[in-house]
Amino acid sequence: MTLGLRARVTFAFAAGAAALSGLLAGTTYALVHHYLLAQREEAATTQTYSDARLVKAGLALPGTNVAGVLSSLPLGQGTLSLLYRGGQWYSASVAVGETPRSSRPASLPPSLVSMVSEGTPARQRVVSEGQPSVAIGLPVRAAGADYFEVHSLAELSRTLGLLALVLAVSALATTAGGLLVGRWASRRLVRPLSSIADVAAAIAGGALDQRLPRGDDPDLDVLARSFNEMVSALERRIERDARFASDVSHELRSPLTTVQATVELLQVFREQLPVEGGRALGLLKAEVQRFSLMVQDLLEISRFDAGAANLDLEELPLDDLVVNSVAAYSAGTIPVQVAPSAHGALVRADRRRVQRVLVNLLDNARTYAGGAVLVSVAWRAGWLAVCVDDAGPGVPPQERERVFERFYRGAAAGRRAEGSGSGLGLALAHEHVKAHHGRLRVDERPGGGARFVIELPAADLTPRADQARPVP
């Protein structure tokens, strides 16, 4: 799954904060650990040298008790003193015993004892009674002995553990802060893109007067200026095309009227024409009628493009409008079904334009699918839906969006050439429905064929529960 821009920016800030805080925490802990441990070991070494001098002085006295000398040392808490002399170990600690012992204490590693016995002072970190410690050994040659002290590092270990906890919590807090900053920064970064997306969506919906606001950011200001210039150029181009189509359609009306009048005059003398002439006159009349419908559709669409298509809105029962329109179109040959919940439901619409949509869909069904087989009205969650079903070949899924484009031919190109359609009926129906803030789509009809669905927002959001009246 690909992360979005905001998620990637937020993750980058969080990862950066985690890496930097982790590096800082690790470096801080390492430096403090090294410094405190070195300080503690140096202090323990200094203390051991001082105690060794006291032991040396005490053992120089005749008749001195070794355990008594060791007991008189000013040892700190957690410090163990040991003396090896004449093959015997001595200590004042209860852990070792006040009596001489020949065995080496477990807290002293053999390597440390060996080095001191050879006359070399030594220091080594050990574990004594389960606690980290440092063992220091000094040869006392004047007394013929080796002196050892084991200093506990438990307090230092607790201090370093607390430091590690504080640094870890700080790193987590810094990461959380980076996450929040990243979220804020990503929102601020994406906000201009969201504005562009909103304006672009409004423009795609036909609001060509929308523009991006100018900001204080010079980088984004360049983008806003370029975007606005592009939209302005697009608006001018669309206006020119709409004006051209409107002008051409308007100019065609006069010669078309003349041609229609001429054809009607020729119809009067059709019986006097040869057979080939009469057939040609019939074809000419059909093409003139088709051309007249196309000019009317072009004029209607040009009004939509120019924003001059005004709606004469009124609240009217949609079921009555559909029943009467279909009856007038088909003389009662196309059945109409009205769901109980849609009976008497009102829409705020332009009666003439809704009738035009229905007629265009019925014409489309008659031209390409042998005619409509059913028209139904239903209530759908605040929308009133009018379905026009046919039993034709249907519309392939890849063409269900494009059939509402102007002059789109698609798979029906051959049939269109033979029919009387202008190629603008569905496009004009789509414009009419969109002007009512509705939707027009084509689905597959259960059992085969196409189902064109008109959805208009209901004026009354409460569905009707009474039974539908019989539909003629």
Side-chain angles (χ1 to χ4, degrees), residues 18-102:
L20 290 177
S21 60
L23 178 62
L24 180 60
T27 303
T28 302
Y29 180 80
L31 292 176
V32 173
H33 179 275
H34 176 75
Y35 175 77
L36 292 180
L37 187 57
Q39 289 289 95
R40 183 70 178 89
E41 290 181 347
E42 288 299 325
T45 302
T46 301
Q47 181 66 36
T48 303
Y49 271 95
S50 177
D51 294 340
R53 286 192 292 268
L54 294 177
V55 170
K56 176 182 176 181
L59 294 178
L61 299 175
T64 303
N65 182 273
V66 176
V69 173
L70 295 178
S71 299
S72 64
L73 295 177
L75 300 178
Q77 184 179 2
T79 302
L80 173 66
S81 62
L82 300 164
L83 184 70
Y84 182 74
R85 185 183 187 189
Q88 298 292 328
W89 287 95
Y90 299 88
S91 175
S93 172
V94 177
V96 176
E98 297 182 359
T99 58
R101 302 183 62 178
S102 59

Side-chain angles (χ1 to χ4, degrees), residues 195-398:
S195 300
I196 294 176
D198 294 340
V199 174
I203 293 173
L208 296 177
D209 57 338
Q210 296 292 316
R211 296 294 184 274
L212 283 177
R214 303 287 291 271
D216 299 330
D217 193 322
D219 297 326
L220 296 177
D221 189 59
V222 173
L223 176 62
R225 184 170 61 253
S226 301
F227 183 87
N228 291 338
E229 290 175 355
M230 178 191 68
V231 175
S232 298
L234 176 64
E235 183 180 19
R236 291 193 296 270
R237 175 64 180 272
I238 293 176
E239 288 177 351
R240 286 198 304 269
D241 292 345
R243 188 164 52 250
F244 174 77
S246 178
D247 292 344
V248 170
S249 302
H250 188 272
E251 292 299 325
L252 286 175
R253 295 183 68 179
S254 295
L256 183 60
T257 302
T258 301
V259 172
Q260 285 180 314
T262 304
V263 170
E264 294 297 331
L265 179 61
L266 291 175
Q267 283 289 115
V268 177
F269 300 99
R270 182 169 184 171
E271 298 297 331
Q272 303 177 17
L273 295 176
V275 175
E276 291 78 4
R279 185 180 300 109
L281 180 60
L283 293 174
L284 177 62
K285 181 179 180 181
E287 289 301 316
V288 168
Q289 290 177 345
R290 179 172 178 268
F291 188 42
S292 177
L293 291 175
M294 182 182 297
V295 170
Q296 293 176 14
D297 289 343
L298 283 173
L299 284 173
E300 190 73 24
I301 287 181
S302 66
R303 294 189 187 98
F304 281 109
D305 293 340
N310 297 321
L311 301 181
D312 185 12
L313 298 177
E314 59 178 314
E315 287 192 358
L316 47 90
L318 183 61
D319 58 336
D320 286 346
L321 178 61
V322 172
V323 168
N324 295 332
S325 299
V326 175
Y329 180 88
S330 65
T333 59
I334 300 177
V336 179
Q337 291 182 355
V338 180
S341 58
H343 173 58
L346 302 178
V347 293
R348 185 169 176 78
D350 186 321
R351 182 187 299 271
R352 182 187 67 83
R353 294 183 187 277
V354 174
Q355 288 176 334
R356 181 66 186 276
V357 172
L358 284 171
V359 170
N360 285 2
L361 295 182
L362 294 172
D363 282 342
N364 182 78
R366 182 181 60 185
T367 304
Y368 305 115
V373 296
L374 176 66
V375 177
S376 59
V377 184
W379 172 279
R380 295 181 181 176
W383 296 79
L384 285 172
V386 180
C387 300
V388 178
D389 294 349
D390 63 54
V395 180
Q398 64 272 17

Side-chain angles (χ1 to χ4, degrees), residues 166-214:
V166 171
L167 290 176
V169 172
S170 300
L172 290 176
T174 304
T175 302
L179 184 67
L180 294 176
V181 172
R183 186 173 180 84
W184 173 83
S186 64
R187 185 183 296 112
R188 185 174 179 83
L189 175 65
V190 175
R191 186 180 303 161
L193 301 180
S194 300
S195 300
I196 294 176
D198 294 340
V199 174
I203 293 173
L208 296 177
D209 57 338
Q210 296 292 316
R211 296 294 184 274
L212 283 177
R214 303 287 291 271

